[in-house]
Amino acid sequence: MEISKSKSHLKRMPLSERVFDIGIKCLFALIIIGILYPLWFIIIASFSNPQAVANGEVLLIPKKINLEGYKALFSAGLIWRSYLNTIIYTSVGTLFQLVVNLPAGYALSRKELVGKKWVVAFFTIPMFIGGGLIPTYLNIKSLGLLDNPLVLIIPGAVSTYNIFVIRSFFKENIPETLWEAAQMDGCSTIRYFIKIVLPLSKAIIAVIGLWVAVGIWNSWFDAMIYIKNQDLHPLQMILRRLLIINEGIGSGAASAAGNASNEMMRQRSEMMKYAAMIVSTLPIMCVYPFLQKYFNQGALIGSVKE
């Protein structure tokens, strides 16, 4: 029924508008294909024979199914431990950032906040002026967070941008009349925030939670700077080390002509590269579709505006 209505509407449109409409749809279809195809290619390349990938035989479906890349990747001793570390860091870090930033955003959304302009300025300045790597390292060291898992959770817990997005969402979507009614019923500020505001803010919680989770999941620089103990390294740090090592092996093997074992090492390096991409992105790709429905409501309505 809806299709027939759209077709009849299209027929009633002038020729120039129909051509423009079809052109826009074709353009967006090409953009979608351009975004999705590289992702699909990485997936099928990780299951294909590297020689077939190098020869351009792999286009839409895997060729000569080969799981050696995944076997070599997961045979590394620290990969499973680092995977668990990343899951813990992401889960705890995301929860901690929500606990810190949601109340801060709510407080900044209240008109009765004393010294609101000064508080906003206090949050805004660090967005544009950073302390630098060396002072930050010395600060982390003085706090006793070196080689401590908390260094990947606590220092980055406050995000000014996320706080401002949360503040805007609360100002635009939580009616002031709710607070007035809650006051008449004797509800305290904390209870109002927990019992009324948070249940009405699932969209912004989902959006901010996903932003934070993706950031922590993909993070490796802080671990490289502050953590020396390999047992505490996140997944991205281990994958980075494995790829660098195998890249060096592959380059050395490629420069040695005519040796079958060297060619095999180069192919193994290529297989591990594609497998590492899939392993590192698969959990986020699985979670994202379930939170996508909140993005229009949370990210657009909660955009920074005054």
Side-chain angles (χ1 to χ4, degrees), residues 70 73-74 76-91 217 230-239 275-284 286:
Y70 290 95
L73 185 64
F74 287 112
L78 292 174
I79 191 71
W80 293 110
R81 175 66 184 177
S82 65
Y83 222 121
L84 177 62
N85 290 342
T86 296
I87 292 174
I88 294 174
Y89 297 152
T90 302
S91 303
W217 185 274
Q230 294 187 7
D231 291 335
L232 299 177
H233 279 171
L235 175 65
Q236 301 297 339
M237 189 66 185
I238 300 299
L239 292 179
M277 293 180 187
I278 299 300
V279 167
S280 60
T281 57
L282 184 60
I284 297 298
C286 292

Side-chain angles (χ1 to χ4, degrees), residues 210 282-292:
L210 185 59
L282 184 60
I284 297 298
M285 292 174 65
C286 292
V287 172
Y288 185 85
F290 296 99
L291 301 179
Q292 173 63 29

Side-chain angles (χ1 to χ4, degrees), residues 106 110 174-183 187-200:
Y106 173 72
R110 304 304 304 165
I174 306 299
E176 186 65 22
T177 53
L178 284 178
W179 169 237
E180 295 172 358
Q183 280 183 310
C187 185
S188 64
T189 302
I190 296 177
R191 186 178 179 185
Y192 169 73
F193 175 71
I194 296 175
K195 296 289 187 180
I196 299 177
V197 174
L198 289 184
L200 296 175

